Amino acid sequence: MLQTQAQLFAPRHARQESAPKTAIWCLDLGGSAAKSSFVFRQLFEMDQKPFPLVIQHIDTDPSTGSAADITTMIDMDVARIEAICGSPERFGRHARTIVERLRPFLQGEVAPGARTVRQIAQLFANYHRDQIAGDMRRALSLLVQRDRVRRVLPILKSSSGGGTGSALSVLLMQQLRDRQFQHDMLMGLQIEIERPVVIVTDPYGNVRQCKGTQARRIQSNMYAFRLETDHLLHRQGAAQLIFHLGLSNSQGVVLDDPQAIATVLGHASYAIARDWLAIASALCDGAFNDAVMGLPYAGLDTLERVRPDIFSRKDSNSTQE
């Protein structure tokens, strides 16, 4: 947007006061979102930083790199696991059930990450609750001190099929509505937190690449995410919108490479962040809302719908065998 001569030579404080005060708080949850942060950051800088931004990365795997301003690592060690198993009631109402059912995953040397098990990420997040709230306060303080913002839009980015991102998206949608968590997170900060926008990739291509237990875990995570977020969105109003990114096209090309999926997530989330005011305005138009958002998701971008011939050939081959 071109600036007039009066705007260019206005006092700095006057220009700041006329600038938009809604900032983007990008919460990258899990490995796929962390990889997408590099694309998001690059596009943001190429556009000459058009809005106030802070990126926070929350993950269970310390080896995951990102372009975040603040990284919150909720990894575990043997001592912490023993503390949880000894007094699970201290770490959320579901902690005892998780410990009892997933005890084999919590014995011996703990491997990094959630290992595609959502309950492990949930348990780790409950243990690190205060650390998560504290790092969120750091992120928001950065926006207040650096950009003098009054309002923040959280954008939660993740994959619906992974253990960490799938679980943390649901947990943070709930925690951002919880009064006690809000109090611990803000600690007197004069800032308004809008309901989040959630952007996820559905890794159907990875399901086809994997076999056995891993494939079932990814698929189960995606379905569980759909059910839980549908309840949070429509019954509790915990989010403004939830975007599921399609990873196939009309020619039958399906993205299954992790880096390609992260690139799509980075481009899509940046476009939504940059143009959110226009998107939000359009959603207030009843006719637009009914036309674009009125129909429920029907899985039209899945490979089974796009290329049914592949599955018909596969079925015929298995019959002949």
Side-chain angles (χ1 to χ4, degrees):
M1 181 180 294
L2 296 177
Q3 291 179 303
T4 65
Q5 186 175 8
Q7 289 174 317
L8 287 171
F9 292 95
R12 181 181 178 187
H13 64 83
R15 295 203 303 272
Q16 287 179 338
E17 287 299 320
S18 63
K21 291 301 180 181
T22 299
I24 298 298
W25 177 21
C26 202
L27 288 155
D28 292 338
L29 310 175
S32 296
K35 291 177 183 178
S36 75
S37 66
F38 295 100
V39 177
F40 192 105
R41 177 77 71 182
Q42 183 181 22
L43 294 171
F44 177 73
E45 293 178 355
M46 287 173 60
D47 269 356
Q48 300 182 355
K49 303 180 179 181
F51 48 81
L53 170 71
V54 65
I55 300 177
Q56 182 176 355
H57 171 216
I58 307 178
D59 208 340
T60 57
D61 188 353
S63 65
T64 305
S66 75
D69 301 290
I70 294 173
T71 297
T72 305
M73 202 53 55
I74 55 172
D75 56 329
M76 301 296 282
D77 55 26
V78 175
R80 292 168 177 170
I81 290 293
E82 290 178 351
I84 293 176
C85 294
S87 303
E89 61 278 355
R90 294 177 52 194
F91 304 101
R93 57 177 179 166
H94 303 298
R96 180 174 294 279
T97 302
I98 295 174
V99 168
E100 291 174 352
R101 296 186 179 182
L102 299 180
R103 191 169 292 276
F105 290 89
L106 305 174
Q107 293 176 341
E109 198 64 31
V110 181
R115 289 160 284 171
T116 328
V117 180
R118 300 170 85 239
Q119 295 89 336
I120 290 180
Q122 179 180 349
L123 196 63
F124 289 8
N126 287 344
Y127 181 90
H128 290 282
R129 177 198 175 279
D130 293 342
Q131 177 189 347
I132 293 173
D135 285 349
M136 286 181 164
R137 185 165 60 251
R138 286 174 53 207
L140 295 172
S141 297
L142 183 62
L143 287 173
V144 170
Q145 296 168 8
R146 183 188 62 194
D147 301 301
R148 300 174 63 187
V149 300
R150 303 188 184 100
R151 178 179 297 175
V152 172
L153 172 67
I155 295 182
L156 311 184
K157 294 160 51 187
S158 72
S159 166
S160 65
T164 299
S166 181
L168 290 182
S169 295
V170 174
L171 286 173
L172 291 183
M173 287 173 66
Q174 295 174 310
Q175 287 183 326
L176 289 174
R177 289 169 46 87
D178 182 76
R179 290 185 178 274
Q180 185 59 50
F181 188 85
Q182 288 178 3
H183 177 269
D184 296 340
M185 175 180 65
L186 295 176
M187 285 288 186
L189 286 176
Q190 299 299 313
I191 191 169
E192 179 184 349
I193 309 295
E194 295 188 14
R195 288 183 300 151
V197 172
V198 183
I199 309 172
V200 299
T201 59
D202 294 324
Y204 291 103
N206 293 117
V207 174
R208 294 184 59 82
Q209 285 184 329
C210 299
K211 296 181 180 179
T213 302
Q214 183 69 3
R216 289 194 296 272
R217 285 179 185 171
I218 295 173
Q219 204 163 20
S220 298
N221 290 345
M222 289 192 291
Y223 293 159
F225 182 89
R226 294 262 181 178
L227 291 173
E228 293 170 0
T229 54
D230 181 75
H231 176 81
L232 290 171
L233 178 66
H234 297 293
R235 301 288 183 87
Q236 299 185 18
Q240 298 190 54
L241 280 175
I242 299 175
F243 292 92
H244 288 264
L245 301 184
L247 301 174
S248 63
N249 62 17
S250 57
Q251 283 72 44
V253 177
V254 179
L255 292 182
D256 55 15
D257 176 68
Q259 186 56 53
I261 292 173
T263 300
V264 170
L265 179 58
H267 276 276
S269 57
Y270 179 74
I272 291 170
R274 182 192 59 200
D275 299 323
W276 174 247
L277 290 179
I279 294 172
S281 298
L283 292 175
C284 293
D285 183 338
F288 176 90
N289 196 15
D290 291 341
V292 178
M293 308 299 294
L295 296 176
Y297 176 80
L300 298 179
D301 64 342
T302 60
L303 186 61
E304 292 86 344
R305 300 290 185 92
V306 175
R307 293 291 303 277
D309 56 303
I310 295 177
F311 289 87
S312 61
R313 288 200 303 268
K314 181 179 178 181
D315 293 339
S316 61
N317 292 336
S318 60
T319 302
Q320 292 175 2
E321 293 176 357

